[in-house]
Amino acid sequence: MSLVGFKGRNHPQQVASTGRDVDTDDRATTAEVFGPLDAEFGPFTIDVAAAAHNTKCSRYFDARRDGLAQSWSGEVVWCNPPYSAIEPWVRKAWHETHRGDCQRVVLLLPANRTE
């Protein structure tokens, strides 16, 4: 197999110009992933990028209550962001923690993002 002429490209769900992929963005974090992180860094007080059917905390922000527009002050934050638009969530987490407003943020990111 030759890679001559090969042009790397992001998966369509990682390209903002393709728009939001509801099935990709609405995935739940499994208990096997969440449990150990909650034990080590929690207990988390709010899930900032969730839906009623997949939240990991009793309090959460969903698409209607946009976690990017809300204050995370005083919270221990769990965030599994929508994969179609990860950058704004990373920026929000950075700003919230560097202002000292929230206690802690754990942001789950896919390992295959190289851009």
Side-chain angles (χ1 to χ4, degrees), residues 25 27-30 47-50 78-83 106-109:
D25 285 352
R27 290 189 209 178
T29 306
T30 64
D47 187 338
V48 296
W78 170 255
C79 182
N80 183 359
Y83 288 2
V106 173
L107 188 67
L108 186 64
L109 299 175

Side-chain angles (χ1 to χ4, degrees), residues 57-81:
C57 302
S58 59
R59 294 177 43 247
Y60 64 94
F61 297 134
D62 57 14
R64 187 179 53 78
R65 291 200 54 217
D66 188 6
L68 292 172
Q70 306 297 324
S71 170
W72 298 356
S73 181
E75 304 286 358
V76 179
V77 175
W78 170 255
C79 182
N80 183 359

Side-chain angles (χ1 to χ4, degrees), residues 46-58:
I46 194 162
D47 187 338
V48 296
H53 69 276
N54 67 12
T55 185
K56 297 300 172 208
C57 302
S58 59

Side-chain angles (χ1 to χ4, degrees), residues 2-114:
S2 172
L3 295 179
V4 173
F6 174 78
K7 289 190 174 229
R9 62 183 190 269
N10 289 338
H11 189 281
Q13 39 184 258
Q14 297 173 333
V15 181
S17 64
T18 63
R20 183 171 184 260
D21 179 349
V22 175
D23 292 333
T24 300
D25 285 352
D26 202 26
R27 290 189 209 178
T29 306
T30 64
E32 295 80 17
V33 170
F34 181 77
L37 293 170
D38 190 45
E40 183 172 347
F41 301 107
F44 296 109
T45 59
I46 194 162
D47 187 338
V48 296
H53 69 276
N54 67 12
T55 185
K56 297 300 172 208
C57 302
S58 59
R59 294 177 43 247
Y60 64 94
F61 297 134
D62 57 14
R64 187 179 53 78
R65 291 200 54 217
D66 188 6
L68 292 172
Q70 306 297 324
S71 170
W72 298 356
S73 181
E75 304 286 358
V76 179
V77 175
W78 170 255
C79 182
N80 183 359
Y83 288 2
S84 66
I86 293 173
E87 182 183 357
W89 294 93
V90 172
R91 288 184 185 281
K92 172 75 171 176
W94 187 88
H95 286 296
E96 292 282 341
T97 56
H98 281 81
R99 278 197 314 244
D101 288 348
C102 62
Q103 295 180 26
R104 182 176 307 117
V105 174
V106 173
L107 188 67
L108 186 64
L109 299 175
N112 65 341
R113 293 297 296 258
T114 59

